[in-house]
Amino acid sequence: MIEKALRGSPRYWGLIIGLLCVIGLGAGFWMFQLTKGLVVTDLSRDVSWGFYIAQLTYFVGVAASAVMLVLPYYFHHYKDFSKMIILGEFLAISSVMMCMLFVVVDLGQPQRMLNIIFHPTPNSVLFWDMIVLNGYLFLNAIIGWTSLQAYRNNMAPPAWVKPLVYLSVIWAFSIHTVTAFLYAGLPGRHYWLTAIMAA
């Protein structure tokens, strides 16, 4: 499939180069943050976390929306959605990866994420965030890749995928729940103006 990404019109390549420039600009700003510290973000007690956690919340919602594409095919046996589950799973994979990248950027120093692995703290929301995001990424990678291979071979996905799909539906709720716990830990402050909580 990578060969299709390497063919395109000059307009396509212009878009790719433009996106690579935006990525390079973001990497440059992140390198600046790594050298100077989180002080460059101007985040404070009043403007809690700000942009990074707002983006995490957005991508958690996009990642969990893959469930909405999976439901018609696996629960209602609507076969026309077979191609959509592949799109949904890979959209969830990219969104969860973005979620994890925003957490790493928010930590300030990437080596700090090793503390979550080497010194697990079950009373830390960040610990549970790592568990649910990595678990959801793992589930979607297996389901998405298996569904893609089945589609390429013009056959139905194997039966062992179905329990994983049901587990991923439940797991989608868990990533929203941990995000709600993140917001629950924030005290009410100005600029935050509302309680963004899961039902």
Side-chain angles (χ1 to χ4, degrees):
M1 290 179 51
I2 193 72
E3 66 275 1
K4 292 187 178 181
L6 298 176
R7 286 197 305 254
S9 66
R11 199 170 150 201
Y12 169 76
W13 285 108
L15 176 67
I16 295 296
I17 290 169
L19 291 173
L20 287 174
C21 289
V22 170
I23 291 170
L25 187 67
F29 282 125
W30 187 48
M31 293 306 259
F32 181 66
Q33 177 184 306
L34 282 178
T35 56
K36 300 290 183 185
L38 277 171
V39 70
V40 299
T41 63
D42 204 26
L43 299 179
S44 66
R45 181 184 70 95
D46 293 325
V47 188
S48 305
W49 288 329
F51 187 67
Y52 297 146
I53 299 302
Q55 292 301 310
L56 167 80
T57 308
Y58 171 75
F59 281 110
V60 161
V62 172
S65 70
V67 169
M68 300 311 291
L69 295 174
V70 167
L71 291 177
Y73 182 78
Y74 283 104
F75 283 80
H76 303 295
H77 309 291
Y78 191 67
K79 302 301 179 195
D80 292 340
F81 265 71
S82 61
K83 295 177 191 172
M84 290 302 291
I85 59 169
I86 298 167
L87 173 70
E89 297 298 339
F90 283 99
L91 178 66
I93 290 168
S94 59
S95 297
V96 169
M97 289 174 74
M98 287 300 297
C99 287
M100 292 191 287
L101 286 173
F102 276 113
V103 170
V104 170
V105 169
D106 190 50
L107 286 174
Q109 296 175 344
Q111 65 270 23
R112 287 181 182 165
M113 68 182 164
L114 295 175
N115 290 338
I116 303 168
I117 298 165
F118 295 135
H119 310 289
T121 310
N123 61 348
S124 166
V125 176
L126 194 57
F127 170 77
W128 291 108
D129 215 11
M130 183 202 71
I131 297 288
V132 297
L133 288 175
N134 280 298
Y136 196 62
L137 176 66
F138 181 71
L139 282 170
N140 282 297
I142 291 174
I143 296 166
W145 188 256
T146 306
S147 301
L148 179 63
Q149 290 300 323
Y151 176 73
R152 288 179 80 183
N153 295 329
N154 206 11
M155 53 193 285
W160 59 266
V161 172
K162 209 168 193 176
L164 292 180
V165 170
Y166 295 148
L167 181 61
S168 76
V169 170
I170 297 165
W171 211 281
F173 288 103
S174 72
I175 63 176
H176 278 300
T177 303
V178 172
T179 307
F181 285 145
L182 277 173
Y183 285 123
L186 287 176
R189 305 224 185 266
H190 57 284
Y191 296 130
W192 207 245
L193 299 183
T194 183
I196 308 173
M197 294 290 295

